[in-house]
Structures are given as structure tokens and as C-alpha cells.
């Protein structure tokens, strides 16, 4: 029986992943910024608050997890921010602002790494485990042909570098732990809502389709059927 932790599970892709996996016999730990700061049990599911933009929230969450669980087999981090009610992605350097950049880096990169730092012991206790971060093709420097979206691009590139660096460290210390960065494709969630009208027909994926694709790639990585670190939802490697 696996212990599966999904960060950002109340909506979007995180919720979709849980809906696909919830009928298994596995134990689930689901997080949201809106949940209680203490573990609440519902059958084989536990819910707890975790806000990756706040160090104190990450620390409190980690302490609660260590109290209840001995190991984590799957960690799937779906947390990310592209826009808020206060800002949209910057199309020009003239639109850059400190608040947007800092918030993007905290949620999209720093929070992911601090969470893995805190959960290092509980992830490495499992005989076979995987830690997944939902990244984005837009974080690829090689693939940047359009420009724009400064904060999102930069924070996702930072996430990719952080996980790549961690992979090198943990490969020596914990060879049983796999790491994965995965681009989910443009999915019908709140994150993509402001941009859907301008998308070409057939480009927008349903949450169900994306969830099925991600589960397939995560399982393949977990079972060592593929060993690339940065891939898309179809399993194709993405250039850095």
C-alpha cells in the first residue's frame, strides 16, 4: 500500500489526479491553502493545509506529516501560480514588478525545493519512491521562441534547475528515490482560463485526459520504464 501525497489537490490537475487514484487501496494526503493546519482524516484520505508561498506553512505541514506517516511513496506537487486577481503574465519587460516575481518564485520554485528539503527523511525511508513537480515547457530556455511571461518562465526554469541539482545529490544518497519534472500540457483549469479564447481548436486538454497522461508517465518513471528527468505528458523529453 502506497502513501501518496498530492500538493494542491483541491482543484485543477491535483484534484483530477486524486479522482483517478482515489478508488485504489492507497493512503492519500491532500493539501490546499484552504484546509486546516492539522490533519483531518476521511477514510483512507487525510487533508491538511500547505501554502508553498509561506515557509511557516511548509514547516507546520511537514511536522504534522512526520507525526502520522512513516514514509511517502509518491509525492506529486501540483502547486503553481501564473496569474492572480492582481496581475497577469508580463508580455513586456515594462510590466515587470517585484511582487509578481517574488510570488512566482516562492510558489513555483522555492516552495517545491523547501518542501523536499523538509520531507527528505520521510521520502527516502521508502524502498522505492518518487517526487514529482509539475513544471512547464515554458521553463525551457532552449524552447523559448516567443518571449514574454517573464516571472512564470523564470520561476519554472529555476524549479527545473533546482530539481536537476537535487537529482544529482539524491542519486548518491538515495538511489531508490526518483525525481520527475513534467509538463502537463495546456489543461482546462483556472490557470489557463484567461487565455483559452485565443487558443487553437484541439489544443486545450480536459483535466481527465491530462490526469490519465500524468499518471502513466509517473508510473513509468516509478517503475523505471523511462529515466528522463524533464518530460511532457506524452513522455517525450523536453530540452533544458
Amino acid at each position: 500500500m502506497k502513501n501518496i501525497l498530492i500538493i494542491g489537490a483541491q482543484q485543477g490537475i491535483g484534484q483530477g489526479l486524486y479522482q483517478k487514484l482515489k478508488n485504489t487501496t492507497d493512503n492519500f494526503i491532500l493539501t490546499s491553502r484552504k484546509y486546516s493546519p492539522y490533519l483531518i482524516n476521511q477514510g483512507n484520505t487525510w487533508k491538511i493545509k500547505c501554502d508553498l508561498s509561506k515557509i511557516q506553512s511548509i514547516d507546520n505541514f511537514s511536522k504534522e506529516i512526520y507525526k502520522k506517516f512513516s514514509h511517502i511513496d509518491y509525492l506529486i506537487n501540483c502547486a503553481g501560480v501564473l496569474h492572480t486577481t492582481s496581475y497577469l503574465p508580463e508580455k513586456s519587460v515594462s510590466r515587470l514588478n517585484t511582487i509578481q516575481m517574488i510570488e512566482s518564485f516562492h510558489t513555483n520554485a522555492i516552495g517545491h525545493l523547501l518542501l523536499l528539503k523538509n520531507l527528505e527523511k520521510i521520502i527516502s525511508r521508502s524502498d522505492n519512491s518518487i517526487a514529482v513537480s509539475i513544471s512547464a515547457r515554458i521553463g525551457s530556455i532552449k524552447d523559448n521562441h516567443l518571449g514574454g511571461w517573464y516571472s512564470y518562465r523564470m520561476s519554472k526554469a529555476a524549479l527545473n534547475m533546482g530539481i536537476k541539482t537535487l537529482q544529482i545529490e539524491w542519486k548518491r544518497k538515495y538511489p531508490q528515490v526518483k525525481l520527475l519534472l513534467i509538463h502537463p500540457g495546456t489543461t482546462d483549469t483556472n490557470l489557463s482560463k484567461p487565455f483559452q479564447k485565443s487558443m487553437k481548436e484541439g489544443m486545450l486538454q480536459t483535466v481527465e485526459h491530462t490526469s490519465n497522461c500524468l499518471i502513466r508517465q509517473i508510473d513509468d518513471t516509478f517503475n523505471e520504464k523511462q529515466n528522463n528527468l524533464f518530460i511532457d505528458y506524452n513522455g517525450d523529453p523536453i530540452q533544458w
Side-chain angles (χ1 to χ4, degrees):
M1 181 180 292
K2 298 187 186 75
N3 291 331
I4 299 176
L5 167 59
I6 303 178
I7 305 295
Q10 193 183 37
Q11 61 182 353
I13 292 172
Q15 185 180 59
L17 290 170
Y18 174 63
Q19 292 300 319
K20 287 293 177 182
L21 295 169
K22 68 178 182 179
N23 291 325
T24 68
T25 58
D26 299 318
N27 290 320
F28 292 91
I29 309 155
L30 309 179
T31 82
S32 167
R33 290 176 295 179
K34 299 179 180 179
Y35 291 159
S36 164
Y38 302 101
L39 279 167
I40 296 177
N41 176 232
Q42 297 175 341
N44 68 334
T45 300
W46 284 260
K47 295 182 178 182
I48 185 171
K49 179 177 182 176
C50 185
D51 185 344
L52 291 193
S53 69
K54 294 179 172 57
I55 294 174
Q56 185 175 355
S57 179
I58 297 172
D59 288 344
N60 179 75
F61 162 78
S62 303
K63 290 176 183 176
E64 292 299 308
I65 293 301
Y66 275 100
K67 290 178 185 177
K68 177 64 182 177
F69 297 94
S70 62
H71 66 281
I72 297 293
D73 300 286
Y74 276 41
L75 188 166
I76 308 173
N77 198 331
C78 302
V81 61
L82 172 59
H83 56 82
T84 68
T85 54
S86 301
Y87 56 74
L88 288 169
E90 317 95 331
K91 294 182 180 180
S92 166
V93 70
S94 64
R95 304 296 298 173
L96 290 181
N97 66 88
T98 304
I99 293 175
Q100 183 172 355
M101 296 182 77
I102 289 176
E103 288 184 357
S104 296
F105 271 82
H106 270 300
T107 301
N108 297 339
I110 297 170
H112 283 243
L113 270 296
L114 289 180
L115 184 71
L116 290 168
K117 169 194 168 185
N118 280 13
L119 298 183
E120 177 178 359
K121 291 181 180 179
I122 203 169
I123 294 171
S124 61
R125 283 176 189 161
S126 179
D127 293 333
N128 191 19
S129 59
I130 184 168
V132 182
S133 280
I134 302 298
S135 184
R137 190 184 303 276
I138 203 170
S140 164
I141 295 173
K142 182 74 172 180
D143 195 65
N144 186 359
H145 304 295
L146 297 176
W149 291 31
Y150 283 84
S151 295
Y152 194 66
R153 284 187 188 276
M154 292 166 64
S155 60
K156 289 294 187 178
L159 169 65
N160 293 348
M161 178 58 81
I163 298 298
K164 173 61 180 176
T165 304
L166 183 63
Q167 183 194 47
I168 294 169
E169 177 185 343
W170 280 10
K171 190 174 183 179
R172 295 190 294 260
K173 296 168 66 177
Y174 316 117
Q176 79 279 15
V177 179
K178 286 89 174 173
L179 294 171
L180 181 64
L181 293 157
I182 190 163
H183 166 65
T186 305
T187 306
D188 186 10
T189 65
N190 289 336
L191 188 139
S192 69
K193 276 284 190 284
F195 321 104
Q196 291 181 10
K197 290 182 179 180
S198 61
M199 292 174 60
K200 295 179 181 178
E201 185 176 353
M203 186 177 176
L204 186 66
Q205 300 170 180
T206 64
V207 170
E208 181 179 17
H209 174 76
T210 295
S211 299
N212 285 332
C213 290
L214 296 188
I215 291 169
R216 189 179 309 117
Q217 302 312 325
I218 292 168
D219 285 344
D220 280 353
T221 304
F222 182 80
N223 294 312
E224 300 183 345
K225 293 181 180 180
Q226 84 85 30
N227 57 11
N228 292 298
L229 177 59
F230 187 21
I231 62 174
D232 69 11
Y233 56 95
N234 285 320
D236 295 324
I238 300 175
Q239 293 181 303
W240 299 101

PDB file of all heavy atoms in Angstrom, residues 87-107:
ATOM      1  N   TYR A  87      -2.617  40.481 -11.062  1.00  0.00           N
ATOM      2  CA  TYR A  87      -1.719  40.554 -12.224  1.00  0.00           C
ATOM      3  C   TYR A  87      -1.912  39.385 -13.187  1.00  0.00           C
ATOM      4  O   TYR A  87      -2.428  38.333 -12.819  1.00  0.00           O
ATOM      5  CB  TYR A  87      -0.258  40.619 -11.778  1.00  0.00           C
ATOM      6  CG  TYR A  87       0.206  39.481 -10.887  1.00  0.00           C
ATOM      7  CD1 TYR A  87       0.440  38.202 -11.387  1.00  0.00           C
ATOM      8  CD2 TYR A  87       0.427  39.682  -9.522  1.00  0.00           C
ATOM      9  CE1 TYR A  87       0.876  37.170 -10.572  1.00  0.00           C
ATOM     10  CE2 TYR A  87       0.857  38.656  -8.698  1.00  0.00           C
ATOM     11  CZ  TYR A  87       1.086  37.401  -9.244  1.00  0.00           C
ATOM     12  OH  TYR A  87       1.513  36.377  -8.424  1.00  0.00           O
ATOM     13  N   LEU A  88      -1.499  39.636 -14.428  1.00  0.00           N
ATOM     14  CA  LEU A  88      -1.445  38.630 -15.492  1.00  0.00           C
ATOM     15  C   LEU A  88       0.013  38.479 -15.917  1.00  0.00           C
ATOM     16  O   LEU A  88       0.865  39.293 -15.549  1.00  0.00           O
ATOM     17  CB  LEU A  88      -2.306  39.070 -16.673  1.00  0.00           C
ATOM     18  CG  LEU A  88      -3.820  39.025 -16.474  1.00  0.00           C
ATOM     19  CD1 LEU A  88      -4.530  39.735 -17.628  1.00  0.00           C
ATOM     20  CD2 LEU A  88      -4.304  37.581 -16.358  1.00  0.00           C
ATOM     21  N   PRO A  89       0.348  37.447 -16.697  1.00  0.00           N
ATOM     22  CA  PRO A  89       1.729  37.304 -17.164  1.00  0.00           C
ATOM     23  C   PRO A  89       2.204  38.542 -17.918  1.00  0.00           C
ATOM     24  O   PRO A  89       1.439  39.161 -18.669  1.00  0.00           O
ATOM     25  CB  PRO A  89       1.654  36.089 -18.101  1.00  0.00           C
ATOM     26  CG  PRO A  89       0.471  35.331 -17.643  1.00  0.00           C
ATOM     27  CD  PRO A  89      -0.506  36.344 -17.163  1.00  0.00           C
ATOM     28  N   GLU A  90       3.458  38.898 -17.706  1.00  0.00           N
ATOM     29  CA  GLU A  90       4.020  40.104 -18.318  1.00  0.00           C
ATOM     30  C   GLU A  90       4.374  39.852 -19.792  1.00  0.00           C
ATOM     31  O   GLU A  90       5.187  38.993 -20.089  1.00  0.00           O
ATOM     32  CB  GLU A  90       5.289  40.547 -17.581  1.00  0.00           C
ATOM     33  CG  GLU A  90       5.186  40.485 -16.070  1.00  0.00           C
ATOM     34  CD  GLU A  90       5.737  39.186 -15.508  1.00  0.00           C
ATOM     35  OE1 GLU A  90       5.690  38.159 -16.228  1.00  0.00           O
ATOM     36  OE2 GLU A  90       6.217  39.198 -14.371  1.00  0.00           O
ATOM     37  N   LYS A  91       3.767  40.622 -20.690  1.00  0.00           N
ATOM     38  CA  LYS A  91       4.077  40.499 -22.112  1.00  0.00           C
ATOM     39  C   LYS A  91       5.306  41.311 -22.496  1.00  0.00           C
ATOM     40  O   LYS A  91       5.890  41.112 -23.557  1.00  0.00           O
ATOM     41  CB  LYS A  91       2.877  40.955 -22.955  1.00  0.00           C
ATOM     42  CG  LYS A  91       1.661  40.054 -22.820  1.00  0.00           C
ATOM     43  CD  LYS A  91       0.530  40.526 -23.708  1.00  0.00           C
ATOM     44  CE  LYS A  91      -0.689  39.622 -23.580  1.00  0.00           C
ATOM     45  NZ  LYS A  91      -1.812  40.081 -24.456  1.00  0.00           N
ATOM     46  N   SER A  92       5.700  42.252 -21.639  1.00  0.00           N
ATOM     47  CA  SER A  92       6.827  43.147 -21.926  1.00  0.00           C
ATOM     48  C   SER A  92       7.621  43.378 -20.652  1.00  0.00           C
ATOM     49  O   SER A  92       7.083  43.305 -19.538  1.00  0.00           O
ATOM     50  CB  SER A  92       6.309  44.479 -22.473  1.00  0.00           C
ATOM     51  OG  SER A  92       7.318  45.459 -22.462  1.00  0.00           O
ATOM     52  N   VAL A  93       8.902  43.681 -20.815  1.00  0.00           N
ATOM     53  CA  VAL A  93       9.752  43.977 -19.668  1.00  0.00           C
ATOM     54  C   VAL A  93       9.234  45.189 -18.898  1.00  0.00           C
ATOM     55  O   VAL A  93       9.463  45.315 -17.689  1.00  0.00           O
ATOM     56  CB  VAL A  93      11.215  44.192 -20.129  1.00  0.00           C
ATOM     57  CG1 VAL A  93      11.363  45.489 -20.923  1.00  0.00           C
ATOM     58  CG2 VAL A  93      12.177  44.162 -18.955  1.00  0.00           C
ATOM     59  N   SER A  94       8.492  46.043 -19.565  1.00  0.00           N
ATOM     60  CA  SER A  94       7.939  47.237 -18.913  1.00  0.00           C
ATOM     61  C   SER A  94       6.889  46.877 -17.860  1.00  0.00           C
ATOM     62  O   SER A  94       6.549  47.696 -17.013  1.00  0.00           O
ATOM     63  CB  SER A  94       7.319  48.176 -19.949  1.00  0.00           C
ATOM     64  OG  SER A  94       6.212  47.560 -20.594  1.00  0.00           O
ATOM     65  N   ARG A  95       6.377  45.641 -17.905  1.00  0.00           N
ATOM     66  CA  ARG A  95       5.344  45.199 -16.971  1.00  0.00           C
ATOM     67  C   ARG A  95       5.917  44.472 -15.755  1.00  0.00           C
ATOM     68  O   ARG A  95       5.169  44.070 -14.865  1.00  0.00           O
ATOM     69  CB  ARG A  95       4.354  44.266 -17.681  1.00  0.00           C
ATOM     70  CG  ARG A  95       3.694  44.863 -18.910  1.00  0.00           C
ATOM     71  CD  ARG A  95       2.845  46.050 -18.557  1.00  0.00           C
ATOM     72  NE  ARG A  95       1.746  45.701 -17.663  1.00  0.00           N
ATOM     73  CZ  ARG A  95       0.926  46.574 -17.100  1.00  0.00           C
ATOM     74  NH1 ARG A  95       1.102  47.877 -17.320  1.00  0.00           N
ATOM     75  NH2 ARG A  95      -0.045  46.170 -16.308  1.00  0.00           N
ATOM     76  N   LEU A  96       7.232  44.321 -15.698  1.00  0.00           N
ATOM     77  CA  LEU A  96       7.841  43.618 -14.570  1.00  0.00           C
ATOM     78  C   LEU A  96       7.606  44.358 -13.258  1.00  0.00           C
ATOM     79  O   LEU A  96       7.692  45.579 -13.204  1.00  0.00           O
ATOM     80  CB  LEU A  96       9.350  43.459 -14.790  1.00  0.00           C
ATOM     81  CG  LEU A  96       9.812  42.495 -15.880  1.00  0.00           C
ATOM     82  CD1 LEU A  96      11.324  42.451 -15.937  1.00  0.00           C
ATOM     83  CD2 LEU A  96       9.259  41.096 -15.627  1.00  0.00           C
ATOM     84  N   ASN A  97       7.318  43.584 -12.207  1.00  0.00           N
ATOM     85  CA  ASN A  97       7.177  44.184 -10.879  1.00  0.00           C
ATOM     86  C   ASN A  97       7.651  43.186  -9.833  1.00  0.00           C
ATOM     87  O   ASN A  97       7.555  41.963 -10.019  1.00  0.00           O
ATOM     88  CB  ASN A  97       5.740  44.626 -10.628  1.00  0.00           C
ATOM     89  CG  ASN A  97       4.781  43.462 -10.550  1.00  0.00           C
ATOM     90  OD1 ASN A  97       4.577  42.908  -9.479  1.00  0.00           O
ATOM     91  ND2 ASN A  97       4.191  43.084 -11.687  1.00  0.00           N
ATOM     92  N   THR A  98       8.148  43.709  -8.739  1.00  0.00           N
ATOM     93  CA  THR A  98       8.777  42.878  -7.715  1.00  0.00           C
ATOM     94  C   THR A  98       7.806  41.891  -7.082  1.00  0.00           C
ATOM     95  O   THR A  98       8.145  40.718  -6.877  1.00  0.00           O
ATOM     96  CB  THR A  98       9.376  43.777  -6.610  1.00  0.00           C
ATOM     97  OG1 THR A  98      10.285  44.693  -7.198  1.00  0.00           O
ATOM     98  CG2 THR A  98      10.112  42.944  -5.581  1.00  0.00           C
ATOM     99  N   ILE A  99       6.592  42.340  -6.776  1.00  0.00           N
ATOM    100  CA  ILE A  99       5.628  41.481  -6.086  1.00  0.00           C
ATOM    101  C   ILE A  99       5.317  40.239  -6.910  1.00  0.00           C
ATOM    102  O   ILE A  99       5.340  39.110  -6.411  1.00  0.00           O
ATOM    103  CB  ILE A  99       4.340  42.258  -5.770  1.00  0.00           C
ATOM    104  CG1 ILE A  99       4.619  43.342  -4.727  1.00  0.00           C
ATOM    105  CG2 ILE A  99       3.251  41.309  -5.277  1.00  0.00           C
ATOM    106  CD1 ILE A  99       3.434  44.233  -4.441  1.00  0.00           C
ATOM    107  N   GLN A 100       5.040  40.424  -8.193  1.00  0.00           N
ATOM    108  CA  GLN A 100       4.702  39.304  -9.057  1.00  0.00           C
ATOM    109  C   GLN A 100       5.867  38.331  -9.184  1.00  0.00           C
ATOM    110  O   GLN A 100       5.682  37.107  -9.134  1.00  0.00           O
ATOM    111  CB  GLN A 100       4.295  39.815 -10.438  1.00  0.00           C
ATOM    112  CG  GLN A 100       3.859  38.715 -11.405  1.00  0.00           C
ATOM    113  CD  GLN A 100       3.288  39.281 -12.683  1.00  0.00           C
ATOM    114  OE1 GLN A 100       3.126  40.497 -12.827  1.00  0.00           O
ATOM    115  NE2 GLN A 100       2.960  38.412 -13.623  1.00  0.00           N
ATOM    116  N   MET A 101       7.066  38.851  -9.331  1.00  0.00           N
ATOM    117  CA  MET A 101       8.237  37.987  -9.487  1.00  0.00           C
ATOM    118  C   MET A 101       8.492  37.186  -8.216  1.00  0.00           C
ATOM    119  O   MET A 101       8.745  35.973  -8.271  1.00  0.00           O
ATOM    120  CB  MET A 101       9.459  38.811  -9.869  1.00  0.00           C
ATOM    121  CG  MET A 101       9.345  39.495 -11.219  1.00  0.00           C
ATOM    122  SD  MET A 101      10.824  40.420 -11.690  1.00  0.00           S
ATOM    123  CE  MET A 101      11.888  39.073 -12.200  1.00  0.00           C
ATOM    124  N   ILE A 102       8.414  37.840  -7.066  1.00  0.00           N
ATOM    125  CA  ILE A 102       8.670  37.151  -5.803  1.00  0.00           C
ATOM    126  C   ILE A 102       7.611  36.074  -5.554  1.00  0.00           C
ATOM    127  O   ILE A 102       7.935  34.942  -5.163  1.00  0.00           O
ATOM    128  CB  ILE A 102       8.714  38.160  -4.639  1.00  0.00           C
ATOM    129  CG1 ILE A 102       9.981  39.008  -4.733  1.00  0.00           C
ATOM    130  CG2 ILE A 102       8.663  37.429  -3.292  1.00  0.00           C
ATOM    131  CD1 ILE A 102      10.072  40.110  -3.691  1.00  0.00           C
ATOM    132  N   GLU A 103       6.342  36.400  -5.780  1.00  0.00           N
ATOM    133  CA  GLU A 103       5.275  35.419  -5.570  1.00  0.00           C
ATOM    134  C   GLU A 103       5.442  34.226  -6.501  1.00  0.00           C
ATOM    135  O   GLU A 103       5.235  33.072  -6.096  1.00  0.00           O
ATOM    136  CB  GLU A 103       3.907  36.071  -5.786  1.00  0.00           C
ATOM    137  CG  GLU A 103       3.499  37.028  -4.675  1.00  0.00           C
ATOM    138  CD  GLU A 103       2.099  37.592  -4.873  1.00  0.00           C
ATOM    139  OE1 GLU A 103       1.467  37.278  -5.905  1.00  0.00           O
ATOM    140  OE2 GLU A 103       1.643  38.347  -3.991  1.00  0.00           O
ATOM    141  N   SER A 104       5.825  34.477  -7.730  1.00  0.00           N
ATOM    142  CA  SER A 104       6.027  33.392  -8.699  1.00  0.00           C
ATOM    143  C   SER A 104       7.167  32.473  -8.268  1.00  0.00           C
ATOM    144  O   SER A 104       7.041  31.242  -8.315  1.00  0.00           O
ATOM    145  CB  SER A 104       6.316  33.970 -10.087  1.00  0.00           C
ATOM    146  OG  SER A 104       5.219  34.699 -10.590  1.00  0.00           O
ATOM    147  N   PHE A 105       8.269  33.060  -7.842  1.00  0.00           N
ATOM    148  CA  PHE A 105       9.409  32.245  -7.416  1.00  0.00           C
ATOM    149  C   PHE A 105       9.098  31.464  -6.148  1.00  0.00           C
ATOM    150  O   PHE A 105       9.488  30.296  -6.020  1.00  0.00           O
ATOM    151  CB  PHE A 105      10.647  33.117  -7.235  1.00  0.00           C
ATOM    152  CG  PHE A 105      11.459  33.269  -8.488  1.00  0.00           C
ATOM    153  CD1 PHE A 105      11.105  34.201  -9.454  1.00  0.00           C
ATOM    154  CD2 PHE A 105      12.567  32.472  -8.728  1.00  0.00           C
ATOM    155  CE1 PHE A 105      11.834  34.344 -10.619  1.00  0.00           C
ATOM    156  CE2 PHE A 105      13.311  32.595  -9.890  1.00  0.00           C
ATOM    157  CZ  PHE A 105      12.946  33.535 -10.843  1.00  0.00           C
ATOM    158  N   HIS A 106       8.394  32.083  -5.205  1.00  0.00           N
ATOM    159  CA  HIS A 106       8.054  31.387  -3.961  1.00  0.00           C
ATOM    160  C   HIS A 106       7.209  30.149  -4.234  1.00  0.00           C
ATOM    161  O   HIS A 106       7.511  29.057  -3.736  1.00  0.00           O
ATOM    162  CB  HIS A 106       7.301  32.322  -3.012  1.00  0.00           C
ATOM    163  CG  HIS A 106       8.181  33.086  -2.091  1.00  0.00           C
ATOM    164  ND1 HIS A 106       9.022  32.470  -1.187  1.00  0.00           N
ATOM    165  CD2 HIS A 106       8.363  34.419  -1.909  1.00  0.00           C
ATOM    166  CE1 HIS A 106       9.681  33.383  -0.500  1.00  0.00           C
ATOM    167  NE2 HIS A 106       9.307  34.577  -0.921  1.00  0.00           N
ATOM    168  N   THR A 107       6.152  30.300  -5.020  1.00  0.00           N
ATOM    169  CA  THR A 107       5.224  29.190  -5.245  1.00  0.00           C
ATOM    170  C   THR A 107       5.742  28.193  -6.261  1.00  0.00           C
ATOM    171  O   THR A 107       5.625  26.976  -6.072  1.00  0.00           O
ATOM    172  CB  THR A 107       3.851  29.730  -5.696  1.00  0.00           C
ATOM    173  OG1 THR A 107       3.336  30.608  -4.687  1.00  0.00           O
ATOM    174  CG2 THR A 107       2.872  28.590  -5.930  1.00  0.00           C
TER     175      THR A 107
END
